Amino acid sequence: MGTESERRRDFEAVYRKYRHAIYQTAFMYVRNREDAEDIAQEAFTRYYVHSAHNVVDNPKNWIAVTAKNLAYNHLKHAKYERLLSEGEDIDTLLESEPDFTDSFFENMWKRDRLEYTDRVLRAMKLKNEKWYAAMIYAYGMEMPRQDIADCMGITRDALSGILRRAKNWIRENYEDEFDHITKL
């Protein structure tokens, strides 16, 4: 219990120290206060989860890179969003309103997916630290492949091979979890 409270205290200290810088980083990309707040919150959430199993030497940099990548992805997907036209209503657009049962099962599925992912990543870290790092950078932090290769000091082709071997290892050793994690 002491370690969890220490972890929470450490996280709160990091949050207090860097929250404005991370918000500013996100805002610099998205130029929208609410979106920047959401991105900063998501970056800190990912840091909290990641720091549970890993030592982060430079939390500010880790969170800032994550925020930058989240902002980049937000901008990439925002171009597909649109406002309703006058006279158009949301029910017509969505065809039906989601019901509470769907929302409940969606949340349960997300929780299961996180538990499976955590179990697989812990095992992968024990199996091969390089695979683990590549997967975290590529899928956890959503870094561009070339940035990951540069960070790891390898070529982009070598990174592709590492990611492919890591995915194959997951498929072979955690078939049910892999299917559950990758299910859309």
Side-chain angles (χ1 to χ4, degrees):
M1 189 156 139
T3 58
E4 180 61 30
S5 63
E6 284 176 22
R7 183 170 162 244
R8 189 169 294 139
R9 248 188 325 236
D10 291 345
F11 173 77
E12 289 171 0
V14 166
Y15 177 79
R16 278 192 303 279
K17 188 172 182 179
Y18 301 123
R19 68 181 176 215
H20 296 297
I22 301 304
Y23 167 80
Q24 289 172 341
T25 299
F27 186 82
M28 182 177 68
Y29 287 94
V30 297
R31 299 286 184 208
N32 178 288
R33 191 175 74 76
E34 290 82 14
D35 291 341
E37 287 172 357
D38 291 345
I39 288 167
Q41 181 181 3
E42 178 65 20
F44 276 105
T45 300
R46 289 182 183 202
Y47 168 75
Y48 185 76
V49 170
H50 180 74
S51 67
H53 304 290
N54 302 283
V55 175
V56 178
D57 294 328
N58 188 341
K60 181 181 179 185
N61 189 51
W62 194 99
I63 300 165
V65 168
T66 303
K68 179 192 96 157
N69 292 326
L70 289 167
Y72 174 75
N73 287 334
H74 171 79
L75 292 172
K76 188 168 62 173
H77 297 295
K79 66 183 175 187
Y80 298 110
E81 295 179 6
R82 70 175 183 86
L83 296 174
L84 294 175
S85 304
E86 193 172 319
E88 188 176 31
D89 67 18
I90 192 73
D91 290 334
T92 305
L93 184 64
L94 297 177
E95 295 180 6
S96 68
E97 189 175 298
D99 114 26
F100 171 76
T101 307
D102 293 340
S103 173
F104 172 78
F105 286 112
E106 177 71 17
N107 288 337
M108 293 294 289
W109 180 80
K110 285 179 183 176
R111 194 185 87 226
D112 287 348
R113 185 176 182 199
L114 285 173
E115 288 173 5
Y116 286 133
T117 303
D118 184 54
R119 182 174 31 246
V120 170
L121 287 175
R122 274 194 259 135
M124 180 181 288
K125 187 174 183 183
L126 292 173
K127 170 72 175 162
N128 188 315
E129 293 257 348
K130 216 176 224 188
W131 291 359
Y132 174 80
M135 294 293 276
I136 291 296
Y137 287 140
Y139 302 108
M141 295 174 63
E142 299 179 354
M143 286 175 66
R145 298 298 194 258
Q146 189 59 54
D147 291 353
I148 299 169
D150 294 344
C151 179
M152 295 180 72
I154 58 177
T155 66
R156 191 170 171 165
D157 290 338
L159 173 65
S160 295
I162 288 170
L163 291 172
R164 186 175 51 256
R165 285 189 296 280
K167 286 184 202 175
N168 287 339
W169 179 82
I170 293 170
R171 276 189 201 102
E172 291 169 8
N173 295 282
Y174 294 91
E175 184 176 349
D176 293 337
E177 285 89 341
F178 182 82
D179 291 341
H180 197 74
I181 289 168
T182 58
K183 189 164 102 179
L184 295 175

